[in-house]
Amino acid sequence: MVRRKSRNPLWRPAKRSPFILLCLLVLWSGIIGWGIATASDPNPNPPSIGTVDPLPPRYQLGKELYIQNCGSCHLAIPPAVFPRQTWSDLLQDSQHYGTTITPLRNPNLTLVWNYLSTFSRSQNEEESTPYRFNQSRFFQALHPEVDIPNPTTVKSCVRCHPQAPEYNFRVLSSPPSPSETP
């Protein structure tokens, strides 16, 4: 006689409970649904960088000097509005749009130039150097359907960019109605 090994009465094959499987399925579905909702929901309050673009720390002093020196008389505009050649000419010219100014001297000149040249745009070879920002190709590309008044003044910018005097061009106001346009 062959004797069979006895089975351990304490060990039984696991029976899967339909209730536990259902709970796991609901939990898994909830986690997947939450993940999809989180990924597809745009952040209603994106973090504000409070300026034109994020700025590496090494350019911060140049930006502050630019705003202090240029923004004290008129609205300091973002460097990318003009090409490097315009900024180079403006920084060296003592006749600034009909007003005699004292050009910046080193080390401030170097700091401001590093900031402006790094964040300005390049100029096409066939393009003339713009000295008014509403003549700038980049400015026009950013404002394709905006009727820019001539002459353009600080009020023209602030009408759509209410925080422009604080050098924040990202915050926009609602577009003016046709009766409000000058």
Side-chain angles (χ1 to χ4, degrees):
M1 266 186 133
V2 178
R3 199 169 170 181
R4 287 181 145 176
K5 290 184 180 178
S6 68
R7 293 188 179 196
N8 185 348
L10 297 177
W11 183 85
R12 286 187 236 156
K15 291 185 180 178
R16 309 245 187 245
S17 167
F19 178 73
I20 292 176
L21 287 175
L22 180 63
C23 288
L24 288 174
L25 181 63
V26 167
L27 179 65
W28 180 254
S29 298
I31 291 170
I32 295 295
W34 175 78
I36 290 172
T38 302
S40 65
D41 183 28
N43 187 356
N45 298 318
S48 173
I49 56 175
T51 183
V52 180
D53 289 314
L55 192 64
R58 70 176 179 249
Y59 298 110
Q60 188 64 39
L61 182 56
K63 173 189 159 194
E64 290 171 9
L65 288 169
Y66 164 68
I67 294 170
Q68 177 184 357
N69 285 280
C70 302
S72 62
C73 296
H74 57 76
L75 193 62
I77 61 173
V81 170
F82 282 138
R84 282 177 202 85
Q85 185 59 44
T86 301
W87 290 117
S88 175
D89 294 349
L90 289 175
L91 286 175
Q92 297 173 24
D93 190 7
S94 63
Q95 293 300 315
H96 189 73
Y97 297 101
T99 302
T100 303
I101 62 168
T102 304
L104 291 172
R105 303 277 183 237
N106 277 327
N108 292 356
L109 176 63
T110 301
L111 291 167
V112 171
W113 171 246
N114 287 340
Y115 167 66
L116 293 174
S117 65
T118 300
F119 295 98
S120 61
R121 64 177 182 81
S122 58
Q123 183 172 337
N124 293 336
E125 288 182 24
E126 68 278 354
E127 180 181 19
S128 63
T129 304
Y131 292 100
R132 300 284 181 189
F133 63 88
N134 58 349
Q135 297 169 347
S136 165
R137 173 176 53 91
F138 186 77
F139 179 83
Q140 292 171 358
L142 286 174
H143 301 82
E145 296 181 17
V146 178
D147 183 26
I148 306 296
N150 196 3
T152 306
T153 65
V154 171
K155 288 182 182 179
S156 307
C157 299
V158 174
R159 186 178 70 206
C160 297
H161 303 275
Q163 293 183 11
E166 290 83 36
Y167 202 61
N168 184 338
F169 291 85
R170 293 201 185 269
V171 173
L172 299 174
S173 63
S174 58
S177 65
S179 62
E180 294 176 11
T181 47

